[in-house]
């Protein structure tokens, strides 16, 4: 790196050094190349899947990128009126040139090579800090030239100043030499006087030395007495403080013991109630002995059927031999055994044989059905696999799927009618909600209906967790659609349809995307809880804002009216580390949600946020838990497009959609960076026996790789949580405030001892870290800082 400075009388190196020293206490070291500068502008631009033409997509994306560049870094002009080159626009142009080159088919390699050659001529290896702190950006050659010109002018000015100072110093030296000659003559006279006074001073010093010894002896004795006095005084104060603290500690322990006894008594009573509820819930399910009895009965029936089939084969062999004599010889059947199966004898033996065959055919069909149910029950008894994403195979007709400009786009997952999905099978690696042996005709679910089911499932899972553990979210999906027992064709159809709808609408709905990422194990379930904490914090922040109609006195929440600008300022305070264009998106979505008005009622804004915030857990009773944790058909209505609204839920508005999308974007981006970072962990060469999986790695190496991205303390806590050890808050963040994302302990990871030599499979470790740890950017939102700002604003408004 080659740092450059700004203007002024100081050189470039001194200016950068001063800026670095001033910003080192508040910023972290960050080096950004040209591609990273451009990605901050182009990362969330319009996707190509929204346009039918690549040219239109490229034109719109280029226009949006240049418009953002104009807002972030406006174009400047020289004194002659010519437009100066812009560093940000250059980086964005190079980035988009590479992206558009990849879309140009056979010309992509040539265009990328041309782009790389132009980058060598445009961008230098110099980095400089333009925003202050320890953040350095890669500079193009024209920016380097401008900085060098400014440094040259500053150095010329310094050179002239140094010449002027040198001339002034030479004149001062001449004056000093004259003064020294005069002082030298005066010194010779003074030396004669000093010799006379020195003799007199020797006599005085002898008498002074004796007096000093006496005074020194007295001061030492006084110091000893003072030290003893202060020591005794400190001991007395320490004993008084210790006595006071012991009294206070005694009172606190007494109160704590009384409160703890009351809490434990209440917890014991609640635990007894929960145990009764759990026992009732367990009794409502099929016990293992009933399943074993059913399996034994099925085995007996199967053996009887095999005996009957062998007997039928013998009878058919005899009948084939005596077919020509059937009308002459009449066999005598065993009437007692035939009557046991409710078969009425006919006039002729042939009629009786046909009836026996029909009865045996029905027995065979029932046996095949029981076999299928037994296989399904045995598969569903297997524990659920780890959360993972499953690709459903759809059976569709051979249609033309090419899109052209002006063609209509589909709005749902199955716009050409209900699709049919291939079964995932009954293997233990398949999620329980998708274990089914036959093809499934999918039910068409709209985005609103899918969002309603996802939100209802979060509430049902919370109600289930009151009385018992519901496992992973992927396991809970099966229980939610099959609360009473084994899956049926209808519940399998609902599971497959919901799974397919979630995978489809995860790209367009933030609510569904959060549910999909948690269900498939790509992020931790704590991410959804953190999302609800963020929304609840925003709701509390809005209640702290000054109302426009506050002059009318104390107002209820239904009567408070807030200014849109105040809400926008609150969003900036709540998300202090987010880029400005993301805050602008939140503002635009807020105005769109409420029709562009300048004010908004707090009640209306709270109604938008309440369904996505924290809620009190339901009462722990068996009947209410069973009712709250089962699927309700009214969530999808009667099959119309507005079925979700008719079921009592409301579509997600643009404001809450953007708010949740930005939160889950931050978490997913960091999780992908963590997975990429862990993929580069060096493998253990000696572990070739296959005991530790196909990709063995040391735990210490995993912590080092993860620490480069999250920090040593947080990385160690994440790895311990992934291995199943408790780290304090259960979210994999160690001693951290999970709501605020700030490190409250100040630990640097030195107090955590990792197991040396422990080897794990890197693939499993990556999945454990993502599923069990809340991985999000530090300081994603700041509720306490925003509340402090709101209180100060409210005090200013009141004064």
């Amino acid at each position: 790196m080659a740092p450059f400075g700004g203007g002024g009388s100081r050189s470039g190196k001194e200016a950068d050094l001063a800026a670095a020293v001033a910003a080192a206490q508040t910023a972290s070291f960050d080096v950004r190349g040209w591609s990273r500068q451009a990605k901050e502008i182009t990362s969330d631009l319009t996707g190509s899947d929204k346009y039918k033409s690549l040219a239109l997509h490229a034109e719109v994306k280029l226009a949006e990128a240049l418009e953002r560049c104009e807002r972030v870094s406006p174009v400047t002009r020289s004194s002659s009126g010519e437009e100066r080159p812009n560093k940000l626009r250059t980086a964005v142009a190079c980035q988009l040139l590479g992206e558009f080159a990849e879309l140009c088919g056979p010309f992509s390699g040539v265009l990328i090579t041309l782009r790389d050659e132009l980058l060598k001529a445009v961008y230098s290896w110099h980095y400089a800090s333009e925003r202050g702190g320890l953040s350095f950006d890669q500079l193009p050659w024209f920016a380097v030239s401008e900085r060098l010109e400014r440094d040259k002018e500053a150095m010329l000015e310094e050179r002239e100043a140094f010449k002027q100072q040198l001339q002034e110093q030479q004149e001062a030296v001449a004056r000093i030499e004259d003064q020294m000659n005069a002082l030298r003559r005066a010194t010779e006279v003074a030396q004669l006087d000093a010799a006379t006074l020195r003799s007199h001073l020797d006599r005085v010093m002898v008498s002074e030395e004796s007096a000093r010894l006496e005074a020194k002896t007295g001061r030492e004795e006084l110091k000893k007495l003072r030290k003893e006095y202060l020591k005794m005084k400190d001991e007395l104060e320490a004993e008084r403080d210790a006595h006071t603290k012991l009294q206070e500690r005694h009172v606190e322990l007494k109160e704590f013991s009384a409160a703890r006894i009351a809490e434990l008594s209440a917890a014991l009573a609640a635990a007894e109630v929960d145990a009764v509820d759990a026992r009732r819930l367990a009794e409502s399910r099929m016990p293992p002995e009933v399943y074993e009895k059913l399996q034994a009965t099925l085995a007996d029936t199967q053996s009887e059927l095999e005996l009957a089939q062998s007997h039928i084969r013998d009878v058919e062999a005899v009948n084939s031999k005596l077919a020509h004599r059937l009308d002459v010889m009449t066999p005598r059947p065993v009437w007692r055994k035939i009557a046991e199966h409710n078969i009425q004898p006919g006039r002729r033996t042939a009629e009786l044989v046909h009836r026996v065959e029909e009865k045996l055919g029905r027995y065979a069909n029932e046996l095949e059905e029981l076999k299928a149910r037994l296989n399904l029950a045995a598969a569903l008894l297997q524990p659920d696999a780890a959360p993972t994403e499953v690709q459903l195979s759809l059976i569709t007709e051979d249609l033309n799927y090419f899109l052209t400009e002006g063609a209509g786009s589909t709005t749902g997952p199955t716009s050409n009618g209900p699709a049919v999905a291939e079964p995932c099978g009954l293997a233990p690696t398949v999620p329980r909600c998708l274990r089914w042996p036959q093809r499934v005709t999918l039910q068409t679910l709209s985005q609103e209906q899918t969002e309603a089911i996802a939100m209802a499932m979060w509430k049902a899972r919370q109600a289930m967790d009151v009385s018992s553990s519901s496992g992973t979210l992927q396991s809970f999906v099966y229980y939610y659609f099959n609360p009473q027992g084994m899956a049926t064709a209808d519940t399998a159809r609902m599971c497959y349809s919901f799974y397919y709808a979630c995978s489809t609408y995860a790209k367009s709905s933030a609510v569904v995307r959060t549910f999909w990422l948690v269900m498939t194990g790509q992020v931790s379930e704590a991410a959804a809880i953190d999302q609800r904490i963020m929304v609840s914090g925003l709701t509390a922040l809005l209640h702290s804002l000054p109302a426009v109609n506050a002059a009318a006195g104390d107002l209820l929440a239904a009567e408070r009216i807030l200014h849109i600008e105040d809400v926008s300022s609150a969003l900036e305070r709540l998300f202090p580390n987010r880029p400005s264009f993301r805050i602008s998106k939140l503002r635009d979505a807020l105005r769109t949600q409420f029709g562009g008005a300048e004010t908004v009622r707090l009640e209306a804004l709270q109604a938008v946020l309440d369904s996505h915030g924290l809620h009190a857990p339901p009462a722990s009773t068996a009947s209410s838990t069973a009712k709250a944790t089962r699927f309700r058909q009214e969530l999808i209505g009667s099959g119309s497009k507005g079925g979700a609204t008719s079921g009592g839920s409301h579509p997600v508005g643009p404001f809450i959609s953007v708010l949740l999308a930005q939160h889950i974007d931050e978490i997913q981006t960091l999780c992908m960076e963590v997975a990429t970072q862990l993929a580069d962990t060096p493998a253990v060469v000696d572990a070739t026996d296959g005991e530790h999986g196909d990709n063995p790695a040391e735990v210490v190496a995993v912590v080092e790789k993860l620490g480069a991205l999250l920090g040593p303390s947080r990385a160690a806590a994440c790895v311990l949580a992934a291995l199943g050890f408790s780290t304090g808050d259960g979210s994999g963040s160690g001693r951290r405030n999970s709501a605020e994302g700030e490190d409250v302990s100040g630990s640097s990871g030195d107090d955590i001892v990792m197991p040396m030599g422990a080897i794990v499979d890197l693939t499993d470790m990556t999945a454990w870290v993502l599923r069990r740890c809340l991985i999000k950017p530090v300081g994603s939102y700041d509720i306490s800082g925003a509340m402090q700002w709101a209180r100060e604003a409210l005090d200013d408004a009141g004064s």
Side-chain angles (χ1 to χ4, degrees), residues 776-788:
K776 68 169 188 174
V778 176
S780 175
Y781 54 87
D782 184 10
I783 297 177
S784 59
M787 291 293 292
Q788 180 65 27

Side-chain angles (χ1 to χ4, degrees), residues 340-485:
E340 291 178 357
H341 296 277
N342 296 326
I343 298 177
Q344 299 297 330
R347 294 181 180 180
R348 297 172 61 86
T349 304
E351 295 179 2
L352 181 62
V353 170
H354 289 314
R355 292 178 183 177
V356 171
E357 289 179 348
E358 292 177 358
K359 192 69 173 180
L360 291 176
R362 288 195 295 270
Y363 282 164
N365 293 334
E366 291 177 0
L367 180 61
E368 292 298 328
E369 183 179 356
L370 289 175
K371 282 183 178 180
R373 290 179 61 84
L374 177 62
N375 293 333
L376 179 61
L380 293 177
L381 284 177
Q382 295 292 331
D384 213 326
T388 183
E389 181 178 357
V390 178
Q391 297 292 338
L392 298 181
S393 301
L394 301 185
I395 305 173
T396 56
E397 298 179 357
D398 294 334
L399 300 176
N400 185 8
Y401 288 98
F402 290 97
L403 298 178
T404 58
E405 288 192 46
S409 61
T410 59
T411 58
T414 56
S415 60
N416 296 324
V420 179
E422 288 285 358
C424 295
L426 302 178
T429 56
V430 177
R432 292 182 66 197
C433 60
L434 300 180
R435 292 178 189 173
W436 191 252
Q438 302 171 357
R439 289 182 176 180
V440 180
T441 302
L442 300 180
Q443 181 176 354
T444 303
L445 296 177
S446 64
Q447 179 173 323
E448 290 78 9
Q449 292 169 347
T450 308
E451 291 173 349
I453 296 176
M455 294 172 63
M457 197 173 296
W458 282 124
K459 294 180 181 178
R461 178 171 171 78
Q462 184 183 14
M464 184 68 180
D465 289 337
V466 173
S467 57
S468 62
S469 176
S470 56
T472 63
L473 180 61
Q474 182 176 269
S475 302
F476 182 73
V477 172
Y478 173 80
Y479 176 80
Y480 181 71
F481 290 108
N482 303 276
Q484 299 300 329

Side-chain angles (χ1 to χ4, degrees), residues 57-302:
H57 160 64
E59 183 178 354
V60 173
K61 189 168 184 178
L62 178 59
E64 290 182 357
L66 293 180
E67 191 272 335
R68 288 187 179 178
C69 290
E70 182 63 25
R71 288 189 313 215
V72 177
S73 178
V75 175
T76 59
R77 296 182 181 275
S78 62
S79 58
S80 60
E82 296 180 357
E83 182 177 339
R84 292 182 180 273
N86 187 279
K87 177 171 67 68
L88 186 57
R89 292 170 70 95
T90 303
V92 170
C94 293
Q95 177 69 19
L96 294 182
L97 177 58
E99 293 181 5
F100 297 155
E102 295 176 358
L103 303 177
C104 291
F107 297 98
S108 62
V110 177
L111 292 176
I112 289 176
T113 303
L114 292 176
R115 191 275 312 267
D116 294 339
E117 292 299 328
L118 290 176
L119 282 175
K120 295 177 183 178
V122 172
Y123 274 94
S124 67
W125 50 269
H126 296 281
Y127 290 76
S129 174
E130 295 185 343
R131 299 176 299 172
L134 298 181
S135 177
F136 295 87
D137 297 337
Q138 187 176 7
L139 298 179
W141 284 112
F142 61 81
V144 174
S145 176
E146 292 177 356
R147 286 177 169 268
L148 290 176
E149 288 293 337
R150 290 197 298 268
D151 289 347
K152 178 182 177 182
E153 294 176 359
M155 293 175 68
L156 289 176
E157 292 178 359
E158 290 180 358
R159 179 183 177 185
E160 294 299 329
F162 287 155
K163 286 182 178 181
Q164 183 66 26
Q165 291 178 2
L166 182 59
Q167 184 177 0
E168 293 177 355
Q169 289 177 359
Q170 289 177 351
E171 295 176 356
V173 168
R175 291 194 299 269
I176 291 173
E177 289 179 352
D178 295 338
Q179 293 178 359
M180 288 180 61
N181 294 329
L183 291 175
R184 188 178 296 111
R185 292 190 295 268
T187 301
E188 294 176 354
V189 177
Q191 286 177 352
L192 297 175
D193 297 338
T196 305
L197 294 174
R198 190 176 295 111
S199 59
H200 179 67
L201 180 61
D202 292 338
R203 294 190 298 268
V204 174
M205 287 179 62
V206 173
S207 59
E208 183 182 3
E209 187 67 25
S210 60
R212 185 180 293 111
L213 290 175
E214 295 178 359
K216 183 178 179 180
T217 305
R219 283 197 300 270
E220 290 177 355
E221 293 179 356
L222 180 61
K223 288 180 180 180
K224 290 180 181 179
L225 294 175
R226 186 177 298 169
K227 287 180 181 180
E228 293 178 359
Y229 169 75
L230 293 176
K231 184 178 179 181
M232 296 176 65
K233 184 178 181 181
D234 293 340
E235 291 177 354
L236 179 61
E237 294 294 334
E239 292 178 357
R240 289 178 179 175
D241 294 341
H243 180 68
T244 305
K245 290 180 180 179
L246 287 175
Q247 289 180 341
E248 294 175 354
R249 184 62 177 170
H250 173 70
V251 175
E252 291 177 358
L253 288 176
K254 186 177 181 180
E255 295 176 354
F256 175 77
S257 300
R260 188 61 177 171
I261 291 173
E263 290 178 1
L264 292 176
S265 301
L268 178 60
E272 292 176 351
V273 175
D274 292 345
V276 174
D277 296 340
R279 191 179 299 110
R280 293 176 182 174
L281 184 61
E283 291 174 356
S284 64
R285 300 182 179 179
M286 179 183 291
E289 55 270 14
V290 176
Y291 170 74
E292 294 176 357
K293 182 179 180 181
L294 179 61
Q295 191 173 12
T297 304
L298 182 60
D300 296 340
T301 306
Q302 187 173 1

